[in-house]
Amino acid sequence: MRQEPTSQQPAWVIIGYGRLGRTLSNILLLKNIPHSVLRSTDQNRIPLICQNAERVLLCVPDSKILELVEFKKESASWIHFSATVSDPRITRAHPMRSFDGRILSSTEFSEIPFALDLGSPPIHQLLPTFTNPCFYLSPDEFQKYHALCVLSAAVPVLLWSLVEKQLDALGINFEYLRNYAQTVGSNFFEKGSDAMTGPWIRDDQITTQKNIEALSQLSPELKNIYQVALQSFQSRSSGLRQESENPDAEL
């Protein structure tokens, strides 16, 4: 559904109609906020559609943001949703959520926290009627935050995809992996790092070596991931033991 902004009504414009753009458009519809949706490639219409806009929401790839901001008028509030682009002409508001194309309810969307620049107005001022939680970061912290978000989203999916392939070769149903992964995730969010189980925690070196040998037969890629993760775990555990044995070392 598209609504063309007029001079008689407050107007919001969404530029970009990918996963985030579709999600925001649906939320604005639920909030009864008149808005237009433009594709980022429709640049010949952007000046006309945005001329009466109070808010322009850029839901486009990072490489497009600075190109499109050239159309900005001083009276309008332009907001982009990238964590890595910083420009004083446009406000940054990064949703800490991975969008998969599924339509979210108002309640689901309202629970998404937004990362904002230091000194930025809160989210309910940037986007009136939005009640999402928000937190503030410096430009350097934004880059670190985004790298952590990418790592926490990409690595588990990559790992589970590689494991799924090997389990399938062994004739093991994907639903069993789904149940296993969901249990691991639930345990982590309940207990944090204390949710770790298995041979690493028990310092079972015999079982760990057998794991490495088995993975070398199945997938060198998974073997390498296992060994890198094991090395990180052992380094972290060693550091925690040293702190426990000498708690006054930094005093």
Side-chain angles (χ1 to χ4, degrees), residues 16-37:
Y17 202 55
R19 293 176 179 179
L20 177 58
R22 290 194 297 271
T23 298
L24 285 173
S25 179
N26 182 68
I27 294 300
L28 294 185
L29 287 173
L30 293 175
K31 292 177 177 290
N32 294 315
I33 297 177
H35 67 284
S36 289
V37 179

Side-chain angles (χ1 to χ4, degrees), residues 20 62 79-84 91-97 99 112-117 123 133 135 137 142 145-146 149:
L20 177 58
D62 294 4
I79 301 167
H80 76 79
F81 302 93
S82 165
T84 59
T91 302
R92 171 165 50 182
H94 182 261
M96 193 174 180
R97 166 84 184 216
F99 294 93
I112 300 172
F114 278 81
L116 306 175
D117 280 298
I123 200 71
F135 55 94
L137 300 171
F142 247 111
Y145 150 77
H146 188 252
C149 286

Side-chain angles (χ1 to χ4, degrees), residues 47-66:
L48 175 64
I49 299 302
C50 292
Q51 66 180 350
N52 294 319
E54 290 186 356
R55 284 175 175 77
V56 177
L57 312 184
L58 291 186
C59 304
V60 298
D62 294 4
S63 59
K64 283 279 188 181
I65 292 173
L66 298 184

Side-chain angles (χ1 to χ4, degrees), residues 116-135:
L116 306 175
D117 280 298
L118 293 174
S120 173
I123 200 71
H124 70 270
Q125 291 183 20
L126 293 174
L127 301 170
T129 75
F130 283 59
T131 58
N132 300 68
C134 54
F135 55 94

